[in-house]
Amino acid sequence: MADARVGRLASQHRDAAEPPPVSYGVLGRLLGFHLRRSQTAVAAHVMDRVNPEDAITPGLFGALEVIAANEGLAQSDLAKAMGVDRSSIVKAIDQLEARSLIQRLPSDRDRRRHRLCLTPAGRATCARLRERFLAQEAVFLQARLSAEEVETLMGLLERLHGAADPACLA
Amino acid sequence: MADARVGRLASQHRDAAEPPPVSYGVLGRLLGFHLRRSQTAVAAHVMDRVNPEDAITPGLFGALEVIAANEGLAQSDLAKAMGVDRSSIVKAIDQLEARSLIQRLPSDRDRRRHRLCLTPAGRATCARLRERFLAQEAVFLQARLSAEEVETLMGLLERLHGAADPACLA
DNA sequence: TATTGTTATACTCTATAACTATA
DNA sequence: TATAGTTATAGAGTATAACAATA
């Protein structure tokens, strides 16, 4: 998902109106279209500036951050929080563990469960990435929206999906 | 799961709060997170009610709609409009053509190009899907936001990505 | 030389189903 | 029986690189 299209639109071989005035039809009135394009644009911007050092994806950082905010949670809980099947989490956990950012620790209450915990290195990396993601999103957003508009947008999106953060108050 | 018999199993680790109060940490302040969750939620809602009859995806409908709004455009133009590589479009076009919704017609100006055009059936299907997508998005949105808030949201997202519709005025 | 469509290939993300070990 | 983690597998969706035909 590199999406590094910073390249030029080289075709200058025609006269005046080069860019084909393609119409999006009804897509301009479909929220799903705008959501997808916006999500892609933000992810591409952040990935282009965060990835080089850490080779991390937004999804992988999301998992790391949720583990950091809920140390000791089980993989099933993480999957539920991320809105994916528990089988889809395994490889992500594998990657984070292979980088020594997290550990699967045994639970003594229930020997089926793995308690997901950050390593000291994981805590440091997570803290660094957290600032990186916040900072780079800010760069992207500040070029396009006012601070107030960003707040409005966040609030509307939060109401759109149900995955708000009831425990974020703590 | 209808948890009718609470007395038996419910006491282990399900004492007071049934849903694990997982915190999302900083994700709640990251627009990328909210965009992804919202996009997934809208797509799932629409897919669940549009798909059964037509077996179409938002992406496939998007391609169909752009072709409908720009009949005769080339595959490269469609790819550019959709924001993907031209090689990624081929299979989508194949599918739409296999369902007899569109045709690849030869261009007499440039024999490398294929002019993408809808069949009569494609025009009918596109019109039907267009209403379906609009209607089902409306169902989803009306349960969550006011009409004014939807307008605000659309406007903000449109400014977030650059893929606005300059020709949508027509 | 550059562009269009195409193919081969690979990689990511995701889901389903089945397995195991626990509970 | 039900749950937690895992594996195998499959299917979208995307990208890169190379190719033939054409410009």
Side-chain angles (χ1 to χ4, degrees):
Chain A
M1 203 223 288
D3 206 346
R5 26 104 192 304
V6 191
R8 297 269 309 105
L9 297 183
S11 44
Q12 207 78 314
H13 62 283
R14 231 178 286 183
D15 300 335
E18 177 50 56
V22 170
S23 166
Y24 285 93
V26 82
L27 300 193
R29 288 282 89 200
L30 280 178
L31 186 68
F33 171 73
H34 292 297
L35 284 172
R36 184 174 190 283
R37 297 299 283 246
S38 297
Q39 203 266 318
T40 302
V42 175
H45 173 95
V46 174
M47 280 288 279
D48 282 350
R49 349 233 147 188
V50 174
N51 206 17
E53 314 93 59
D54 294 286
I56 201 130
T57 60
L60 223 44
F61 167 69
L64 189 62
E65 173 68 10
V66 171
I67 296 169
N70 308 271
E71 290 220 32
L73 89 168
Q75 293 184 196
S76 293
D77 299 330
L78 177 60
K80 202 174 300 176
M82 305 285 285
V84 298
D85 190 85
R86 69 190 197 278
S87 68
S88 303
I89 292 285
V90 178
K91 277 194 200 116
I93 302 290
D94 286 346
Q95 289 181 65
L96 294 176
E97 198 175 34
R99 297 186 207 179
S100 300
L101 299 178
I102 67 163
Q103 278 178 301
R104 285 168 161 113
L105 299 180
S107 163
D108 39 312
R109 281 206 302 109
D110 185 337
R111 281 151 61 197
R112 295 172 301 183
R113 295 198 163 217
H114 294 166
R115 300 178 58 249
L116 301 178
C117 294
L118 271 72
T119 63
R123 252 177 288 275
T125 297
C126 187
R128 184 164 41 77
L129 289 174
R130 193 181 295 133
E131 297 314 312
R132 275 293 232 182
F133 272 77
L134 282 169
Q136 285 307 322
E137 275 211 355
V139 167
F140 181 89
L141 285 168
Q142 279 165 13
R144 291 163 177 83
L145 302 178
S146 73
E148 189 184 18
E149 287 169 330
V150 171
E151 282 310 302
T152 301
L153 179 56
M154 294 270 221
L156 292 173
L157 291 174
E158 199 161 327
R159 285 166 54 197
L160 219 53
H161 66 260
D165 196 358
C168 204
L169 316 171
Chain B
M1 289 283 184
D3 207 334
R5 52 213 177 281
V6 181
R8 282 208 300 151
L9 303 172
S11 301
Q12 282 294 320
H13 51 285
R14 297 172 159 192
D15 302 328
E18 174 56 59
V22 170
S23 165
Y24 285 93
V26 82
L27 299 193
R29 289 283 91 201
L30 280 178
L31 186 67
F33 172 73
H34 293 298
L35 285 171
R36 183 173 190 281
R37 296 298 283 248
S38 297
Q39 202 265 320
T40 301
V42 175
H45 174 96
V46 174
M47 279 289 277
D48 282 351
R49 353 236 143 186
V50 174
N51 206 18
E53 314 92 60
D54 293 285
I56 201 131
T57 61
L60 222 44
F61 166 68
L64 189 62
E65 174 69 9
V66 171
I67 296 169
N70 308 273
E71 291 220 31
L73 88 168
Q75 294 183 196
S76 293
D77 298 330
L78 177 60
K80 203 174 300 177
M82 306 284 286
V84 298
D85 191 85
R86 68 189 197 276
S87 68
S88 303
I89 292 283
V90 178
K91 276 191 203 122
I93 303 289
D94 286 347
Q95 288 182 64
L96 294 176
E97 197 174 34
R99 298 185 205 180
S100 300
L101 299 178
I102 67 163
Q103 277 178 302
R104 286 169 161 111
L105 299 180
S107 164
D108 39 310
R109 279 206 303 109
D110 184 339
R111 280 153 60 199
R112 295 172 300 183
R113 296 197 161 218
H114 294 165
R115 301 178 57 250
L116 302 177
C117 294
L118 272 71
T119 62
R123 252 178 288 274
T125 296
C126 188
R128 185 163 41 77
L129 289 174
R130 193 182 294 133
E131 297 314 311
R132 275 292 232 183
F133 271 76
L134 283 169
Q136 286 306 323
E137 276 211 354
V139 167
F140 181 88
L141 286 169
Q142 279 166 12
R144 292 163 177 81
L145 302 178
S146 73
E148 190 185 18
E149 287 170 331
V150 171
E151 282 310 302
T152 301
L153 179 56
M154 293 270 222
L156 292 174
L157 290 174
E158 199 160 326
R159 286 167 53 198
L160 219 52
H161 66 260
D165 195 357
C168 201
L169 313 172

